[in-house]
Amino acid sequence: MNLDDLNNAQRKAVTTDNSHSLVLAGAGSGKTKVLSSRIAWLINTGQASFNEVLAVTFTNKAAREMVSRISMMLDRDMKGFWIGTFHGLCHKMLRLNWREANLIQNFQIIDMSDQLSLIKRLMKSANVNESKYSARDLQKIINSYKEKGLRSNEIDVYDSYNKYIAEFYHLYEHQCIRDGLLDFAELLLKSYDLLKNNQTIRNYYQERFKYILVDEFQDTNSLQYGWLRLLIGNSTSVFAVGDDDQSIYAFRGANIDNMSLFDKEYAKGNIVRLEQNYRSMGHILGAANSLIRYNNGRLGKKLWTQEGDGEKVLIVEKHNDLLESQWIVDEIKNIVKNGIKQDDIAVLYRSNAQSRVLEHALFLSGISYKVYGGLRFFERQEIKNVLAYLRLIVNRNDDSAWLRSVNFPIRGIGTRTIESLFEITKNKNISLYDAVAYHSGRSKNNLLMFNNIISTLEESSRKLTLVQLIEHVLEFTGINAFYKNEEETDRLDNLKELVTAATIFSGENNFSEIPASLLIDDLKENLDVSLNNNIYLEQEKITPLLSFLSHASLEAGDNQSESEQSSVQLMTVHAAKGLEFKVVFITGVEEGLFPHENSMSDNSSIEEERRLMYVAITRARKKLYITMANSRMLRGQVRYSVKSRFISEVGEGNVIFVKNKEQILPNNYLKSNSRFTSNSHQQSNKLSSGNTNFVDINGKKFVIGQNVKHKKFGDGTIIKLIGHGEESQAQISFNNCGIKTIMLGIARFE
DNA sequence: AAGCTTTGACTTTTT
DNA sequence: GTCAAAGCTT
């Protein structure tokens, strides 16, 4: 490995001998390079061996990227190297110490949709229909408690609602334990509890991991920080890398304060700033720097480049969303004509709903595009159906899996039957599988047949490899036959893809010849290691099947197969984090959309929106466009809005404004009679003559930008108008009391 | 138990 | 406007 291709700041970070350090790594400043080089350097100089290093990331992709970089720098066996996501590493720790963690050996991981259906099921059985909370609410509440490290018995019960939540949370905990299921947050919490409560294990890991490296530190939540704390012993050195300006995940528990907390508790001023940017041209960086200065309480950082100013950022204002999309499409055509590949172009938006208009315009123009987001491979219905059978093979008491499989394919087992089984499970505190024995009724035979399928499959699994088992399940359960009969070729293809995925997985993990459900005790003979044994022997002592199921939950896969042709990339700003493109369009940059209206009430949310805009801007390498529309269709209503405050924050010197010059177009402009997706889609033609940004109500006119004086709220400016006629509303930014949405028909103005 | 109609939510999301 | 899920009908 070679330290010469690092700049001074990078080299300083890589070779620091401070016990703890915090690296503030700006966008495009070579963060992954520094992390990988640091690990390679520690190994190369003999300061550490791989089994003494723990590296933690947020995504599997980031972990893979780091492994591949390190292997390019060093030709060494990485055995014993713990690298992965927080969840992946916690999972590993729990598999190795399942007894001490009070788990069953076959515990399974459930994803968010499994968790949601479990919660719905429990709500029904607990008769809480008229509760104030929806299943989604409860899911959010439970997860956020877990992310704060709180169990159901640790919640402060100060009123009846909290009491209800604590009770329901307890019910959910109980069911998860009985089914042997761990949700994502629970992986972290269980691992945290294990380290906290078991001194032997805590000491072992503290002594073992001399070097801990953390990526994307600004995205850690309180529990993750707590978990890291428990791993830090007297001789541990922590290297935390992050960028407070790119913290955009507060809504899922990320705590930006963890960075300054880490500085206070550990790094103690050992901060390295990576500010030289290798990605974007000067004006783009200028815009980013200018914008982010409007945030308070930053750790502070200013990006610079050696590459020159480049082109100015183009800011484009259009009358409406259709014209905005059309303009982008025309511009893309020009760019492509000038030799830029479509792969190098990204169109970003704040929320997924915005992709529709863009897709439409792209489709009509024949430009190929790819939309990121949506269902991932292992989240697909047909895949989950197969996984449910596999879960039952591992643990027949997994009620969630049993319910999913029992009537798929159809076996004549309906809701009535299931309800009566639920009664039995409640009374006897047993699983649905076991409850069948006590059931009497017309469906009894069907139920017995189903349970028989499960036990027969379990038998077979002892003799088959993982791939053979999956192929067997597809045939034996009738899943293949069902989809063939329905002529669902896409789903059949995905099932084939599942077999391929299992083949690849088996190969990568070197157990293609081991039967999928070999008794775990037999496997342990060969692979077991106790804490005192030689760590190089350490392997996950789980069967291929269990391992594959964990893999499926922890890594949901891609959402789309690779397309052969070069295509324009469409995604949310969140999804674009960590990526870069030659040309970037940031679209819909309007008050209410970006910043989003739900984030406009308090300053910390606005600051997060601003960081999101900062992330969006710093994705661009050569050319950046920021576009906005005066009106757009949203939730079936025309909404008028003004340009986002962020547009005025990017600094006049870095930008060129292109004002709307066109006349409002006649009705038939963009009129579409072609179909744009397989399910035919009628584009509504809303470009009527009323399409301006004013509203007329009871003879009074209201225009965006107009100053008004409200009887109660005082002076303010209209920033957005929604809807027509009696129903129309205005969003008004009041000088003294923030932004309020007001019904114009009712409001009293002076 | 399948097929139809109505209702309600709707920012961002990885594990 | 769109989608999924719940509710109702056959």
Side-chain angles (χ1 to χ4, degrees):
Chain A
M1 72 163 299
N2 185 4
L3 295 177
D4 292 343
D5 58 333
L6 298 172
N7 67 37
N8 286 340
Q10 290 173 335
R11 196 174 315 112
K12 188 181 168 200
V14 166
T15 62
T16 179
D17 50 15
N18 291 321
S19 61
H20 303 296
S21 38
L22 176 62
V23 178
L24 290 184
S29 66
K31 179 195 68 167
T32 313
K33 187 179 184 178
V34 164
L35 267 169
S36 320
S37 301
R38 166 85 178 162
I39 294 170
W41 181 77
L42 288 170
I43 306 286
N44 215 24
T45 53
Q47 298 176 72
S49 56
F50 269 117
N51 62 293
E52 292 170 323
V53 180
L54 179 129
V56 53
T57 61
F58 271 86
T59 63
N60 293 296
K61 198 176 154 201
R64 278 195 298 270
E65 172 75 17
M66 238 201 280
V67 167
S68 106
R69 290 235 195 170
I70 295 168
S71 66
M72 280 197 292
M73 286 184 259
L74 287 182
D75 188 24
R76 298 263 189 109
D77 188 352
M78 294 195 205
K79 227 170 204 168
F81 181 25
W82 278 43
I83 179 164
T85 62
F86 276 99
H87 294 84
L89 295 173
C90 288
H91 169 245
K92 187 170 181 170
M93 196 180 278
L94 293 174
R95 287 283 176 213
L96 289 168
N97 304 286
W98 59 272
R99 244 184 276 268
E100 294 81 358
N102 289 321
L103 291 165
I104 61 163
Q105 190 165 21
N106 288 348
F107 73 83
Q108 309 262 326
I109 305 157
I110 51 169
D111 67 15
M112 288 207 320
S113 72
D114 293 332
Q115 185 187 35
L116 188 63
S117 23
L118 177 52
I119 288 172
K120 282 181 185 165
R121 201 178 99 212
L122 290 174
M123 284 174 78
K124 258 186 205 146
S125 85
N127 276 330
V128 289
N129 315 357
E130 11 87 64
S131 129
K132 187 187 168 186
Y133 301 100
S134 69
R136 269 159 182 255
D137 289 341
L138 286 171
Q139 181 181 33
K140 254 194 201 151
I141 294 167
I142 289 175
N143 286 338
S144 78
Y145 274 124
K146 289 192 179 196
E147 277 156 14
K148 288 183 192 109
L150 297 173
R151 301 238 175 245
S152 65
N153 57 359
E154 294 167 315
I155 303 178
D156 202 5
V157 196
Y158 51 83
D159 62 21
S160 62
Y161 282 121
N162 275 276
K163 191 159 171 280
Y164 162 73
I165 283 169
E167 275 168 15
F168 188 82
Y169 182 6
H170 180 75
L171 195 67
Y172 172 77
E173 272 173 341
H174 177 78
Q175 189 67 38
C176 285
I177 292 167
R178 225 197 57 195
D179 288 6
L181 303 177
L182 272 71
D183 59 49
F184 286 132
E186 188 64 32
L187 282 172
L188 295 165
L189 187 48
K190 261 268 151 50
S191 179
Y192 172 87
D193 282 346
L194 174 71
L195 290 169
K196 198 171 129 200
N197 302 331
N198 190 316
Q199 201 191 343
T200 314
I201 290 179
R202 187 172 66 244
N203 286 344
Y204 167 76
Y205 285 113
Q206 285 190 354
E207 279 167 35
R208 172 177 172 172
F209 296 124
K210 306 248 175 341
Y211 293 94
I212 295 177
L213 299 98
V214 193
D215 189 17
E216 307 274 19
F217 202 85
Q218 77 283 353
D219 287 338
T220 52
N221 63 32
S222 308
L223 184 55
Q224 286 158 339
Y225 188 78
W227 184 80
L228 286 168
R229 251 200 204 120
L230 289 170
L231 285 172
I232 304 175
N234 293 329
S235 54
T236 315
S237 159
V238 182
F239 187 83
V241 180
D243 182 357
D244 52 327
D245 292 333
Q246 290 189 73
S247 167
I248 55 172
Y249 285 114
F251 71 91
R252 66 178 199 214
N255 184 3
I256 191 171
D257 295 335
N258 283 348
M259 289 195 82
S260 46
L261 197 58
F262 176 78
D263 179 34
K264 211 168 96 192
E265 292 185 341
Y266 297 100
K268 307 212 158 84
N270 289 322
I271 298 180
V272 182
R273 287 184 166 75
L274 305 180
E275 295 173 299
Q276 183 174 0
N277 175 290
Y278 296 94
R279 179 186 294 156
S280 313
M281 302 302 283
H283 280 307
I284 296 169
L285 287 184
N289 282 331
S290 166
L291 173 94
I292 202 67
R293 273 192 301 126
Y294 286 84
N295 272 8
N296 294 313
R298 298 170 55 221
L299 293 172
K301 197 167 28 50
K302 195 174 177 188
L303 298 179
W304 59 277
T305 178
Q306 281 181 341
E307 301 298 311
D309 283 348
E311 287 179 59
K312 288 197 175 182
V313 178
L314 208 61
I315 297 180
V316 181
E317 179 174 352
K318 292 280 141 186
H319 285 303
N320 60 49
D321 48 349
L322 296 177
L323 294 170
E324 181 195 28
S325 301
Q326 190 54 52
W327 187 86
I328 290 167
V329 165
D330 290 341
E331 189 66 14
I332 288 175
K333 280 186 189 157
N334 284 334
I335 301 168
V336 171
K337 224 182 274 169
N338 290 332
I340 304 270
K341 278 189 294 182
Q342 311 202 347
D343 278 335
D344 290 328
I345 304 169
V347 183
L348 309 183
Y349 35 81
R350 176 64 180 82
S351 65
N352 286 304
Q354 288 167 253
S355 77
R356 201 164 202 90
V357 202
L358 291 159
E359 283 185 68
H360 186 213
L362 285 163
F363 179 83
L364 290 181
S365 73
I367 300 170
S368 71
Y369 63 90
K370 188 178 166 184
V371 187
Y372 285 75
L375 268 197
R376 322 266 297 275
F377 181 74
F378 285 109
E379 291 167 354
R380 287 166 197 281
Q381 179 208 110
E382 61 276 20
I383 303 300
K384 293 208 110 183
N385 286 337
V386 181
L387 293 179
Y389 279 97
L390 296 178
R391 271 165 63 174
L392 283 172
I393 291 171
V394 172
N395 175 13
R396 58 182 60 174
N397 294 327
D398 181 340
D399 282 358
S400 302
W402 194 94
L403 275 172
R404 190 172 185 115
S405 314
V406 68
N407 203 33
F408 184 85
I410 295 149
R411 298 191 178 90
I413 299 165
T415 31
R416 276 278 163 73
T417 310
I418 301 295
E419 266 167 31
S420 88
L421 280 170
F422 270 136
E423 279 304 302
I424 301 171
T425 62
K426 248 199 274 182
N427 296 337
K428 296 194 185 292
N429 197 24
I430 54 174
S431 66
L432 285 160
Y433 183 98
D434 288 338
V436 168
Y438 301 93
H439 175 82
S440 53
R442 218 180 299 159
S443 304
K444 175 98 181 194
N445 267 344
N446 292 342
L447 286 168
L448 285 173
M449 267 163 60
F450 173 70
N451 271 3
N452 195 34
I453 289 176
I454 300 308
S455 51
T456 312
L457 281 174
E458 201 265 321
E459 286 277 310
S460 323
S461 75
R462 291 160 191 265
K463 303 186 284 281
L464 300 175
T465 66
L466 175 63
V467 174
Q468 290 167 339
L469 177 66
I470 293 176
E471 284 170 336
H472 180 61
V473 166
L474 289 174
E475 293 308 322
F476 190 68
T477 59
I479 292 179
N480 255 348
F482 176 85
Y483 285 125
K484 256 178 216 157
N485 188 42
E486 300 276 308
E487 294 180 15
E488 301 236 37
T489 47
D490 284 358
R491 296 199 199 278
L492 283 168
D493 286 345
N494 284 332
L495 293 178
K496 277 186 202 139
E497 195 56 39
L498 179 64
V499 177
T500 309
T503 311
I504 293 168
F505 182 77
S506 301
E508 278 173 355
N509 290 280
N510 252 341
F511 46 51
S512 51
E513 296 307 317
I514 307 172
S517 187
L518 194 77
L519 278 176
I520 290 192
D521 288 334
D522 297 343
L523 199 64
K524 245 168 64 184
E525 289 278 308
N526 305 319
L527 302 178
D528 188 18
V529 274
S530 73
L531 293 178
N532 304 317
N533 282 353
N534 185 344
I535 22 196
Y536 285 101
L537 284 177
E538 183 184 276
Q539 304 233 358
E540 292 181 32
K541 43 185 182 181
I542 59 175
T543 63
L545 176 54
L546 205 42
S547 187
F548 183 66
L549 284 169
S550 305
H551 166 79
S553 315
L554 288 172
E555 195 164 348
D558 293 329
N559 49 36
Q560 261 180 30
S561 48
E562 282 300 308
S563 73
E564 3 18 270
Q565 54 182 333
S566 180
S567 23
V568 174
Q569 322 272 307
L570 267 65
M571 66 190 87
T572 62
V573 180
H574 283 90
K577 190 173 169 225
L579 307 176
E580 60 174 52
F581 308 91
K582 244 181 210 159
V583 180
V584 169
F585 293 84
I586 310 172
T587 68
V589 186
E590 299 137 32
E591 287 290 293
L593 202 58
F594 200 176
H596 195 273
E597 57 187 335
N598 296 1
S599 306
M600 282 166 58
S601 51
D602 69 296
N603 198 253
S604 69
S605 312
I606 281 287
E607 294 205 340
E608 173 131 331
E609 294 286 309
R610 191 175 283 114
R611 291 192 290 270
L612 196 52
M613 186 67 185
Y614 178 79
V615 167
I617 292 172
T618 52
R619 297 312 95 197
R621 289 172 52 205
K622 306 275 185 216
K623 180 82 193 174
L624 175 64
Y625 299 87
I626 296 174
T627 69
M628 59 93 47
N630 302 120
S631 82
R632 68 174 64 239
M633 278 295 260
L634 223 63
R635 294 186 204 163
Q637 269 189 321
V638 183
R639 311 232 299 192
Y640 304 98
S641 41
V642 290
K643 66 163 94 64
S644 167
R645 68 194 72 186
F646 299 149
I647 288 180
S648 59
E649 292 173 359
V650 292
E652 276 182 38
N654 301 306
V655 303
I656 296 173
F657 280 92
V658 179
K659 267 278 184 170
N660 218 346
K661 291 200 195 83
E662 300 91 340
Q663 293 297 306
I664 292 175
L665 288 144
N667 279 353
N668 57 3
Y669 185 76
L670 281 184
K671 192 172 179 178
S672 122
N673 45 16
S674 54
R675 298 210 314 242
F676 114 88
T677 52
S678 50
N679 37 346
S680 88
H681 170 97
Q682 281 279 310
Q683 177 65 19
S684 58
N685 185 26
K686 291 280 183 181
L687 277 171
S688 60
S689 54
N691 206 4
T692 50
N693 50 358
F694 67 84
V695 169
D696 203 323
I697 198 157
N698 304 335
K700 269 189 178 169
K701 279 193 177 10
F702 295 95
V703 192
I704 287 189
Q706 180 181 342
N707 292 321
V708 291
K709 189 170 184 147
H710 190 271
K711 280 240 165 84
K712 190 167 154 205
F713 303 126
D715 289 318
T717 313
I718 299 181
I719 57 169
K720 190 167 70 182
L721 293 163
I722 307 162
H724 287 285
E726 293 290 313
E727 298 286 287
S728 51
Q729 297 168 299
Q731 217 170 53
I732 301 174
S733 175
F734 289 103
N735 300 346
N736 293 322
C737 48
I739 292 158
K740 303 218 180 288
T741 305
I742 282 172
M743 293 289 292
L744 286 172
I746 303 169
R748 288 178 305 155
F749 294 104
E750 282 177 13

